[in-house]
PDB file of all heavy atoms in Angstrom:
ATOM      1  N   GLY A   1     -21.810  46.014  -8.038  1.00  0.00           N
ATOM      2  CA  GLY A   1     -21.092  45.381  -9.178  1.00  0.00           C
ATOM      3  C   GLY A   1     -20.422  46.324 -10.094  1.00  0.00           C
ATOM      4  O   GLY A   1     -19.341  46.149 -10.588  1.00  0.00           O
ATOM      5  N   GLU A   2     -21.143  47.512 -10.312  1.00  0.00           N
ATOM      6  CA  GLU A   2     -20.551  48.486 -11.266  1.00  0.00           C
ATOM      7  C   GLU A   2     -19.300  49.153 -10.746  1.00  0.00           C
ATOM      8  O   GLU A   2     -18.304  49.464 -11.462  1.00  0.00           O
ATOM      9  CB  GLU A   2     -21.629  49.532 -11.505  1.00  0.00           C
ATOM     10  CG  GLU A   2     -21.183  50.689 -12.533  1.00  0.00           C
ATOM     11  CD  GLU A   2     -22.305  51.632 -12.822  1.00  0.00           C
ATOM     12  OE1 GLU A   2     -23.407  51.466 -12.328  1.00  0.00           O
ATOM     13  OE2 GLU A   2     -21.956  52.660 -13.463  1.00  0.00           O
ATOM     14  N   PHE A   3     -19.254  49.430  -9.513  1.00  0.00           N
ATOM     15  CA  PHE A   3     -18.155  50.194  -8.919  1.00  0.00           C
ATOM     16  C   PHE A   3     -17.074  49.325  -8.228  1.00  0.00           C
ATOM     17  O   PHE A   3     -16.104  49.811  -7.806  1.00  0.00           O
ATOM     18  CB  PHE A   3     -18.695  51.168  -7.877  1.00  0.00           C
ATOM     19  CG  PHE A   3     -19.516  52.287  -8.532  1.00  0.00           C
ATOM     20  CD1 PHE A   3     -20.847  52.253  -8.406  1.00  0.00           C
ATOM     21  CD2 PHE A   3     -18.874  53.286  -9.204  1.00  0.00           C
ATOM     22  CE1 PHE A   3     -21.617  53.276  -9.007  1.00  0.00           C
ATOM     23  CE2 PHE A   3     -19.669  54.230  -9.778  1.00  0.00           C
ATOM     24  CZ  PHE A   3     -20.983  54.326  -9.692  1.00  0.00           C
ATOM     25  N   LEU A   4     -17.225  48.022  -8.315  1.00  0.00           N
ATOM     26  CA  LEU A   4     -16.358  47.058  -7.690  1.00  0.00           C
ATOM     27  C   LEU A   4     -14.955  47.208  -8.398  1.00  0.00           C
ATOM     28  O   LEU A   4     -14.813  47.158  -9.639  1.00  0.00           O
ATOM     29  CB  LEU A   4     -16.770  45.604  -7.840  1.00  0.00           C
ATOM     30  CG  LEU A   4     -15.772  44.582  -7.418  1.00  0.00           C
ATOM     31  CD1 LEU A   4     -15.448  44.713  -5.861  1.00  0.00           C
ATOM     32  CD2 LEU A   4     -16.355  43.161  -7.675  1.00  0.00           C
ATOM     33  N   ASP A   5     -13.891  47.404  -7.573  1.00  0.00           N
ATOM     34  CA  ASP A   5     -12.540  47.456  -8.102  1.00  0.00           C
ATOM     35  C   ASP A   5     -11.999  45.964  -8.220  1.00  0.00           C
ATOM     36  O   ASP A   5     -11.687  45.379  -7.281  1.00  0.00           O
ATOM     37  CB  ASP A   5     -11.585  48.166  -7.107  1.00  0.00           C
ATOM     38  CG  ASP A   5     -10.243  48.391  -7.738  1.00  0.00           C
ATOM     39  OD1 ASP A   5      -9.780  47.621  -8.571  1.00  0.00           O
ATOM     40  OD2 ASP A   5      -9.541  49.405  -7.307  1.00  0.00           O
ATOM     41  N   LYS A   6     -12.073  45.463  -9.495  1.00  0.00           N
ATOM     42  CA  LYS A   6     -11.773  44.065  -9.727  1.00  0.00           C
ATOM     43  C   LYS A   6     -10.299  43.752  -9.540  1.00  0.00           C
ATOM     44  O   LYS A   6      -9.893  42.573  -9.398  1.00  0.00           O
ATOM     45  CB  LYS A   6     -12.282  43.689 -11.055  1.00  0.00           C
ATOM     46  CG  LYS A   6     -13.801  43.717 -11.095  1.00  0.00           C
ATOM     47  CD  LYS A   6     -14.331  43.254 -12.451  1.00  0.00           C
ATOM     48  CE  LYS A   6     -15.847  43.330 -12.566  1.00  0.00           C
ATOM     49  NZ  LYS A   6     -16.425  42.854 -13.825  1.00  0.00           N
ATOM     50  N   LYS A   7      -9.470  44.707  -9.586  1.00  0.00           N
ATOM     51  CA  LYS A   7      -7.995  44.520  -9.430  1.00  0.00           C
ATOM     52  C   LYS A   7      -7.511  44.671  -8.002  1.00  0.00           C
ATOM     53  O   LYS A   7      -6.440  44.023  -7.637  1.00  0.00           O
ATOM     54  CB  LYS A   7      -7.212  45.410 -10.356  1.00  0.00           C
ATOM     55  CG  LYS A   7      -7.353  45.170 -11.807  1.00  0.00           C
ATOM     56  CD  LYS A   7      -6.514  46.061 -12.679  1.00  0.00           C
ATOM     57  CE  LYS A   7      -6.646  45.794 -14.131  1.00  0.00           C
ATOM     58  NZ  LYS A   7      -5.800  46.674 -15.027  1.00  0.00           N
ATOM     59  N   ASN A   8      -8.175  45.507  -7.234  1.00  0.00           N
ATOM     60  CA  ASN A   8      -7.840  45.745  -5.910  1.00  0.00           C
ATOM     61  C   ASN A   8      -9.018  45.618  -4.954  1.00  0.00           C
ATOM     62  O   ASN A   8      -9.258  46.596  -4.242  1.00  0.00           O
ATOM     63  CB  ASN A   8      -7.159  47.133  -5.768  1.00  0.00           C
ATOM     64  CG  ASN A   8      -5.908  47.234  -6.588  1.00  0.00           C
ATOM     65  OD1 ASN A   8      -4.910  46.665  -6.261  1.00  0.00           O
ATOM     66  ND2 ASN A   8      -5.989  48.036  -7.679  1.00  0.00           N
ATOM     67  N   SER A   9      -9.721  44.520  -5.117  1.00  0.00           N
ATOM     68  CA  SER A   9     -11.014  44.360  -4.240  1.00  0.00           C
ATOM     69  C   SER A   9     -10.702  44.417  -2.726  1.00  0.00           C
ATOM     70  O   SER A   9     -11.514  44.894  -1.985  1.00  0.00           O
ATOM     71  CB  SER A   9     -11.708  43.103  -4.670  1.00  0.00           C
ATOM     72  OG  SER A   9     -10.881  42.000  -4.410  1.00  0.00           O
ATOM     73  N   ARG A  10      -9.541  43.908  -2.383  1.00  0.00           N
ATOM     74  CA  ARG A  10      -9.238  43.917  -0.911  1.00  0.00           C
ATOM     75  C   ARG A  10      -9.081  45.268  -0.366  1.00  0.00           C
ATOM     76  O   ARG A  10      -9.750  45.661   0.638  1.00  0.00           O
ATOM     77  CB  ARG A  10      -7.859  43.198  -0.755  1.00  0.00           C
ATOM     78  CG  ARG A  10      -7.378  43.103   0.738  1.00  0.00           C
ATOM     79  CD  ARG A  10      -5.988  42.600   0.829  1.00  0.00           C
ATOM     80  NE  ARG A  10      -5.847  41.271   0.477  1.00  0.00           N
ATOM     81  CZ  ARG A  10      -4.939  40.808  -0.397  1.00  0.00           C
ATOM     82  NH1 ARG A  10      -4.076  41.596  -0.945  1.00  0.00           N
ATOM     83  NH2 ARG A  10      -4.864  39.468  -0.687  1.00  0.00           N
ATOM     84  N   GLU A  11      -8.419  46.212  -1.073  1.00  0.00           N
ATOM     85  CA  GLU A  11      -8.300  47.592  -0.588  1.00  0.00           C
ATOM     86  C   GLU A  11      -9.662  48.324  -0.728  1.00  0.00           C
ATOM     87  O   GLU A  11      -9.955  49.141   0.102  1.00  0.00           O
ATOM     88  CB  GLU A  11      -7.205  48.353  -1.432  1.00  0.00           C
ATOM     89  CG  GLU A  11      -5.817  47.809  -1.108  1.00  0.00           C
ATOM     90  CD  GLU A  11      -4.758  48.649  -1.869  1.00  0.00           C
ATOM     91  OE1 GLU A  11      -5.085  49.765  -2.385  1.00  0.00           O
ATOM     92  OE2 GLU A  11      -3.614  48.235  -1.900  1.00  0.00           O
ATOM     93  N   TRP A  12     -10.385  48.040  -1.803  1.00  0.00           N
ATOM     94  CA  TRP A  12     -11.658  48.638  -2.076  1.00  0.00           C
ATOM     95  C   TRP A  12     -12.648  48.352  -0.896  1.00  0.00           C
ATOM     96  O   TRP A  12     -13.243  49.335  -0.311  1.00  0.00           O
ATOM     97  CB  TRP A  12     -12.219  48.145  -3.381  1.00  0.00           C
ATOM     98  CG  TRP A  12     -13.659  48.502  -3.657  1.00  0.00           C
ATOM     99  CD1 TRP A  12     -14.732  47.676  -3.852  1.00  0.00           C
ATOM    100  CD2 TRP A  12     -14.176  49.844  -3.851  1.00  0.00           C
ATOM    101  NE1 TRP A  12     -15.860  48.353  -4.102  1.00  0.00           N
ATOM    102  CE2 TRP A  12     -15.593  49.716  -4.137  1.00  0.00           C
ATOM    103  CE3 TRP A  12     -13.662  51.154  -3.842  1.00  0.00           C
ATOM    104  CZ2 TRP A  12     -16.406  50.804  -4.441  1.00  0.00           C
ATOM    105  CZ3 TRP A  12     -14.564  52.205  -4.098  1.00  0.00           C
ATOM    106  CH2 TRP A  12     -15.860  52.046  -4.324  1.00  0.00           C
ATOM    107  N   TYR A  13     -12.715  47.146  -0.500  1.00  0.00           N
ATOM    108  CA  TYR A  13     -13.608  46.789   0.588  1.00  0.00           C
ATOM    109  C   TYR A  13     -13.107  47.272   1.965  1.00  0.00           C
ATOM    110  O   TYR A  13     -13.930  47.699   2.770  1.00  0.00           O
ATOM    111  CB  TYR A  13     -13.927  45.311   0.645  1.00  0.00           C
ATOM    112  CG  TYR A  13     -14.937  44.881  -0.419  1.00  0.00           C
ATOM    113  CD1 TYR A  13     -14.616  44.053  -1.438  1.00  0.00           C
ATOM    114  CD2 TYR A  13     -16.256  45.343  -0.324  1.00  0.00           C
ATOM    115  CE1 TYR A  13     -15.600  43.663  -2.394  1.00  0.00           C
ATOM    116  CE2 TYR A  13     -17.193  44.898  -1.247  1.00  0.00           C
ATOM    117  CZ  TYR A  13     -16.865  44.074  -2.269  1.00  0.00           C
ATOM    118  OH  TYR A  13     -17.798  43.750  -3.271  1.00  0.00           O
ATOM    119  N   ALA A  14     -11.867  47.233   2.160  1.00  0.00           N
ATOM    120  CA  ALA A  14     -11.337  47.794   3.413  1.00  0.00           C
ATOM    121  C   ALA A  14     -11.678  49.312   3.528  1.00  0.00           C
ATOM    122  O   ALA A  14     -12.065  49.767   4.645  1.00  0.00           O
ATOM    123  CB  ALA A  14      -9.785  47.583   3.477  1.00  0.00           C
ATOM    124  N   ALA A  15     -11.598  50.056   2.368  1.00  0.00           N
ATOM    125  CA  ALA A  15     -11.980  51.457   2.455  1.00  0.00           C
ATOM    126  C   ALA A  15     -13.328  51.692   2.664  1.00  0.00           C
ATOM    127  O   ALA A  15     -13.827  52.563   3.375  1.00  0.00           O
ATOM    128  CB  ALA A  15     -11.443  52.089   1.099  1.00  0.00           C
ATOM    129  N   LEU A  16     -14.259  50.806   2.032  1.00  0.00           N
ATOM    130  CA  LEU A  16     -15.683  50.898   2.151  1.00  0.00           C
ATOM    131  C   LEU A  16     -16.054  50.726   3.650  1.00  0.00           C
ATOM    132  O   LEU A  16     -16.869  51.424   4.208  1.00  0.00           O
ATOM    133  CB  LEU A  16     -16.366  49.941   1.300  1.00  0.00           C
ATOM    134  CG  LEU A  16     -16.508  50.296  -0.221  1.00  0.00           C
ATOM    135  CD1 LEU A  16     -17.191  49.136  -0.917  1.00  0.00           C
ATOM    136  CD2 LEU A  16     -17.267  51.591  -0.477  1.00  0.00           C
ATOM    137  N   MET A  17     -15.377  49.722   4.294  1.00  0.00           N
ATOM    138  CA  MET A  17     -15.775  49.457   5.652  1.00  0.00           C
ATOM    139  C   MET A  17     -15.340  50.546   6.545  1.00  0.00           C
ATOM    140  O   MET A  17     -16.109  50.969   7.575  1.00  0.00           O
ATOM    141  CB  MET A  17     -15.078  48.131   6.076  1.00  0.00           C
ATOM    142  CG  MET A  17     -15.718  46.911   5.462  1.00  0.00           C
ATOM    143  SD  MET A  17     -14.812  45.428   5.967  1.00  0.00           S
ATOM    144  CE  MET A  17     -15.825  44.104   5.164  1.00  0.00           C
ATOM    145  N   ASP A  18     -14.180  51.186   6.385  1.00  0.00           N
ATOM    146  CA  ASP A  18     -13.758  52.321   7.129  1.00  0.00           C
ATOM    147  C   ASP A  18     -14.665  53.527   6.922  1.00  0.00           C
ATOM    148  O   ASP A  18     -15.061  54.212   7.899  1.00  0.00           O
ATOM    149  CB  ASP A  18     -12.335  52.694   6.809  1.00  0.00           C
ATOM    150  CG  ASP A  18     -11.331  51.786   7.388  1.00  0.00           C
ATOM    151  OD1 ASP A  18     -11.711  50.971   8.285  1.00  0.00           O
ATOM    152  OD2 ASP A  18     -10.135  51.858   7.011  1.00  0.00           O
ATOM    153  N   TYR A  19     -15.098  53.757   5.672  1.00  0.00           N
ATOM    154  CA  TYR A  19     -15.938  54.810   5.403  1.00  0.00           C
ATOM    155  C   TYR A  19     -17.325  54.639   6.016  1.00  0.00           C
ATOM    156  O   TYR A  19     -17.910  55.534   6.519  1.00  0.00           O
ATOM    157  CB  TYR A  19     -16.054  54.985   3.883  1.00  0.00           C
ATOM    158  CG  TYR A  19     -16.856  56.183   3.390  1.00  0.00           C
ATOM    159  CD1 TYR A  19     -16.878  57.411   4.104  1.00  0.00           C
ATOM    160  CD2 TYR A  19     -17.669  56.075   2.270  1.00  0.00           C
ATOM    161  CE1 TYR A  19     -17.633  58.419   3.682  1.00  0.00           C
ATOM    162  CE2 TYR A  19     -18.389  57.135   1.817  1.00  0.00           C
ATOM    163  CZ  TYR A  19     -18.444  58.309   2.487  1.00  0.00           C
ATOM    164  OH  TYR A  19     -19.208  59.334   2.119  1.00  0.00           O
ATOM    165  N   GLY A  20     -17.816  53.444   5.930  1.00  0.00           N
ATOM    166  CA  GLY A  20     -19.136  53.090   6.485  1.00  0.00           C
ATOM    167  C   GLY A  20     -19.151  53.306   7.944  1.00  0.00           C
ATOM    168  O   GLY A  20     -20.093  53.795   8.562  1.00  0.00           O
ATOM    169  N   SER A  21     -18.093  52.914   8.616  1.00  0.00           N
ATOM    170  CA  SER A  21     -17.915  53.152  10.049  1.00  0.00           C
ATOM    171  C   SER A  21     -17.971  54.653  10.393  1.00  0.00           C
ATOM    172  O   SER A  21     -18.622  55.100  11.370  1.00  0.00           O
ATOM    173  CB  SER A  21     -16.710  52.547  10.587  1.00  0.00           C
ATOM    174  OG  SER A  21     -16.486  52.777  11.918  1.00  0.00           O
ATOM    175  N   TYR A  22     -17.276  55.444   9.520  1.00  0.00           N
ATOM    176  CA  TYR A  22     -17.261  56.880   9.718  1.00  0.00           C
ATOM    177  C   TYR A  22     -18.670  57.511   9.485  1.00  0.00           C
ATOM    178  O   TYR A  22     -19.185  58.340  10.286  1.00  0.00           O
ATOM    179  CB  TYR A  22     -16.261  57.476   8.676  1.00  0.00           C
ATOM    180  CG  TYR A  22     -16.566  58.999   8.470  1.00  0.00           C
ATOM    181  CD1 TYR A  22     -16.056  59.903   9.423  1.00  0.00           C
ATOM    182  CD2 TYR A  22     -17.232  59.433   7.427  1.00  0.00           C
ATOM    183  CE1 TYR A  22     -16.260  61.294   9.179  1.00  0.00           C
ATOM    184  CE2 TYR A  22     -17.449  60.858   7.181  1.00  0.00           C
ATOM    185  CZ  TYR A  22     -16.934  61.754   8.164  1.00  0.00           C
ATOM    186  OH  TYR A  22     -17.181  63.079   7.932  1.00  0.00           O
ATOM    187  N   LEU A  23     -19.453  57.036   8.478  1.00  0.00           N
ATOM    188  CA  LEU A  23     -20.754  57.505   8.205  1.00  0.00           C
ATOM    189  C   LEU A  23     -21.723  57.250   9.439  1.00  0.00           C
ATOM    190  O   LEU A  23     -22.499  58.195   9.799  1.00  0.00           O
ATOM    191  CB  LEU A  23     -21.352  56.896   7.001  1.00  0.00           C
ATOM    192  CG  LEU A  23     -20.752  57.284   5.635  1.00  0.00           C
ATOM    193  CD1 LEU A  23     -21.310  56.406   4.556  1.00  0.00           C
ATOM    194  CD2 LEU A  23     -21.003  58.740   5.428  1.00  0.00           C
ATOM    195  N   LYS A  24     -21.583  56.097  10.047  1.00  0.00           N
ATOM    196  CA  LYS A  24     -22.506  55.765  11.215  1.00  0.00           C
ATOM    197  C   LYS A  24     -22.246  56.727  12.365  1.00  0.00           C
ATOM    198  O   LYS A  24     -23.082  57.011  13.195  1.00  0.00           O
ATOM    199  CB  LYS A  24     -22.138  54.371  11.688  1.00  0.00           C
ATOM    200  CG  LYS A  24     -22.782  53.322  10.674  1.00  0.00           C
ATOM    201  CD  LYS A  24     -22.537  51.861  11.211  1.00  0.00           C
ATOM    202  CE  LYS A  24     -23.105  50.895  10.279  1.00  0.00           C
ATOM    203  NZ  LYS A  24     -22.882  49.554  10.764  1.00  0.00           N
ATOM    204  N   LYS A  25     -20.956  57.205  12.479  1.00  0.00           N
ATOM    205  CA  LYS A  25     -20.680  58.170  13.561  1.00  0.00           C
ATOM    206  C   LYS A  25     -21.078  59.551  13.264  1.00  0.00           C
ATOM    207  O   LYS A  25     -21.143  60.410  14.118  1.00  0.00           O
ATOM    208  CB  LYS A  25     -19.072  58.049  13.885  1.00  0.00           C
ATOM    209  CG  LYS A  25     -18.696  56.731  14.390  1.00  0.00           C
ATOM    210  CD  LYS A  25     -17.241  56.700  14.610  1.00  0.00           C
ATOM    211  CE  LYS A  25     -16.772  55.268  14.980  1.00  0.00           C
ATOM    212  NZ  LYS A  25     -15.224  55.192  15.106  1.00  0.00           N
ATOM    213  N   THR A  26     -21.246  59.894  11.908  1.00  0.00           N
ATOM    214  CA  THR A  26     -21.456  61.232  11.506  1.00  0.00           C
ATOM    215  C   THR A  26     -22.912  61.551  11.113  1.00  0.00           C
ATOM    216  O   THR A  26     -23.413  62.598  11.302  1.00  0.00           O
ATOM    217  CB  THR A  26     -20.537  61.543  10.253  1.00  0.00           C
ATOM    218  OG1 THR A  26     -19.247  61.098  10.458  1.00  0.00           O
ATOM    219  CG2 THR A  26     -20.589  63.005   9.888  1.00  0.00           C
ATOM    220  N   PHE A  27     -23.626  60.500  10.621  1.00  0.00           N
ATOM    221  CA  PHE A  27     -25.016  60.665  10.249  1.00  0.00           C
ATOM    222  C   PHE A  27     -25.868  59.586  10.949  1.00  0.00           C
ATOM    223  O   PHE A  27     -25.299  58.648  11.506  1.00  0.00           O
ATOM    224  CB  PHE A  27     -25.137  60.442   8.741  1.00  0.00           C
ATOM    225  CG  PHE A  27     -24.433  61.357   7.893  1.00  0.00           C
ATOM    226  CD1 PHE A  27     -23.040  61.116   7.473  1.00  0.00           C
ATOM    227  CD2 PHE A  27     -24.939  62.610   7.527  1.00  0.00           C
ATOM    228  CE1 PHE A  27     -22.319  61.982   6.671  1.00  0.00           C
ATOM    229  CE2 PHE A  27     -24.192  63.504   6.788  1.00  0.00           C
ATOM    230  CZ  PHE A  27     -22.887  63.199   6.316  1.00  0.00           C
ATOM    231  N   PRO A  28     -27.130  59.811  11.007  1.00  0.00           N
ATOM    232  CA  PRO A  28     -28.038  58.711  11.462  1.00  0.00           C
ATOM    233  C   PRO A  28     -27.666  57.483  10.743  1.00  0.00           C
ATOM    234  O   PRO A  28     -27.603  57.506   9.465  1.00  0.00           O
ATOM    235  CB  PRO A  28     -29.445  59.210  11.209  1.00  0.00           C
ATOM    236  CG  PRO A  28     -29.332  60.657  11.210  1.00  0.00           C
ATOM    237  CD  PRO A  28     -27.964  60.988  10.561  1.00  0.00           C
ATOM    238  N   ASN A  29     -27.551  56.302  11.345  1.00  0.00           N
ATOM    239  CA  ASN A  29     -27.059  55.112  10.719  1.00  0.00           C
ATOM    240  C   ASN A  29     -27.865  54.794   9.465  1.00  0.00           C
ATOM    241  O   ASN A  29     -29.023  54.447   9.512  1.00  0.00           O
ATOM    242  CB  ASN A  29     -27.242  53.974  11.728  1.00  0.00           C
ATOM    243  CG  ASN A  29     -26.652  52.666  11.215  1.00  0.00           C
ATOM    244  OD1 ASN A  29     -26.231  52.529  10.066  1.00  0.00           O
ATOM    245  ND2 ASN A  29     -26.656  51.633  12.032  1.00  0.00           N
ATOM    246  N   PRO A  30     -27.183  54.903   8.265  1.00  0.00           N
ATOM    247  CA  PRO A  30     -27.916  54.694   7.052  1.00  0.00           C
ATOM    248  C   PRO A  30     -28.423  53.294   6.872  1.00  0.00           C
ATOM    249  O   PRO A  30     -29.434  53.034   6.211  1.00  0.00           O
ATOM    250  CB  PRO A  30     -26.807  54.932   5.969  1.00  0.00           C
ATOM    251  CG  PRO A  30     -25.808  55.752   6.670  1.00  0.00           C
ATOM    252  CD  PRO A  30     -25.841  55.370   8.102  1.00  0.00           C
ATOM    253  N   SER A  31     -27.748  52.276   7.504  1.00  0.00           N
ATOM    254  CA  SER A  31     -28.160  50.891   7.395  1.00  0.00           C
ATOM    255  C   SER A  31     -29.553  50.580   8.042  1.00  0.00           C
ATOM    256  O   SER A  31     -30.120  49.535   7.802  1.00  0.00           O
ATOM    257  CB  SER A  31     -27.120  49.930   7.946  1.00  0.00           C
ATOM    258  OG  SER A  31     -27.034  50.053   9.332  1.00  0.00           O
ATOM    259  N   ARG A  32     -30.032  51.513   8.826  1.00  0.00           N
ATOM    260  CA  ARG A  32     -31.336  51.342   9.416  1.00  0.00           C
ATOM    261  C   ARG A  32     -32.471  51.399   8.399  1.00  0.00           C
ATOM    262  O   ARG A  32     -33.567  50.970   8.593  1.00  0.00           O
ATOM    263  CB  ARG A  32     -31.594  52.373  10.507  1.00  0.00           C
ATOM    264  CG  ARG A  32     -30.720  52.199  11.771  1.00  0.00           C
ATOM    265  CD  ARG A  32     -30.939  53.354  12.767  1.00  0.00           C
ATOM    266  NE  ARG A  32     -30.059  53.183  13.844  1.00  0.00           N
ATOM    267  CZ  ARG A  32     -29.950  54.136  14.839  1.00  0.00           C
ATOM    268  NH1 ARG A  32     -30.642  55.250  14.731  1.00  0.00           N
ATOM    269  NH2 ARG A  32     -29.125  53.955  15.829  1.00  0.00           N
ATOM    270  N   LYS A  33     -32.161  51.934   7.284  1.00  0.00           N
ATOM    271  CA  LYS A  33     -33.109  51.856   6.027  1.00  0.00           C
ATOM    272  C   LYS A  33     -33.211  50.528   5.454  1.00  0.00           C
ATOM    273  O   LYS A  33     -34.155  50.350   4.668  1.00  0.00           O
ATOM    274  CB  LYS A  33     -32.717  52.971   5.045  1.00  0.00           C
ATOM    275  CG  LYS A  33     -32.766  54.381   5.567  1.00  0.00           C
ATOM    276  CD  LYS A  33     -32.386  55.309   4.365  1.00  0.00           C
ATOM    277  CE  LYS A  33     -32.255  56.764   4.762  1.00  0.00           C
ATOM    278  NZ  LYS A  33     -31.915  57.717   3.628  1.00  0.00           N
ATOM    279  N   SER A  34     -32.269  49.677   5.663  1.00  0.00           N
ATOM    280  CA  SER A  34     -32.268  48.382   5.007  1.00  0.00           C
ATOM    281  C   SER A  34     -33.332  47.459   5.568  1.00  0.00           C
ATOM    282  O   SER A  34     -33.613  47.469   6.771  1.00  0.00           O
ATOM    283  CB  SER A  34     -30.879  47.706   5.273  1.00  0.00           C
ATOM    284  OG  SER A  34     -30.907  46.422   4.797  1.00  0.00           O
ATOM    285  N   VAL A  35     -33.974  46.730   4.721  1.00  0.00           N
ATOM    286  CA  VAL A  35     -34.982  45.786   5.145  1.00  0.00           C
ATOM    287  C   VAL A  35     -34.369  44.653   5.923  1.00  0.00           C
ATOM    288  O   VAL A  35     -34.996  43.859   6.615  1.00  0.00           O
ATOM    289  CB  VAL A  35     -35.755  45.157   3.916  1.00  0.00           C
ATOM    290  CG1 VAL A  35     -36.480  46.219   3.131  1.00  0.00           C
ATOM    291  CG2 VAL A  35     -34.773  44.403   2.988  1.00  0.00           C
TER     292      VAL A  35
END
């Protein structure tokens, strides 16, 4: 909520998804820590 780009949420989330995909290929999948 704090870092959400309220004017460009579409681009913000598209960037987050691309970055998250990159992280999974570069580091042990961080989402495995999620309950």
Side-chain angles (χ1 to χ4, degrees):
E2 181 178 352
F3 292 104
L4 175 62
D5 187 335
K6 295 182 179 179
K7 292 183 178 180
N8 298 290
S9 59
R10 181 190 290 133
E11 291 184 14
W12 171 242
Y13 279 115
L16 284 177
M17 289 178 176
D18 283 348
Y19 182 39
S21 178
Y22 163 79
L23 287 175
K24 288 181 178 180
K25 297 174 183 177
T26 311
F27 300 92
N29 186 355
S31 66
R32 291 177 183 171
K33 296 180 180 180
S34 171
V35 297

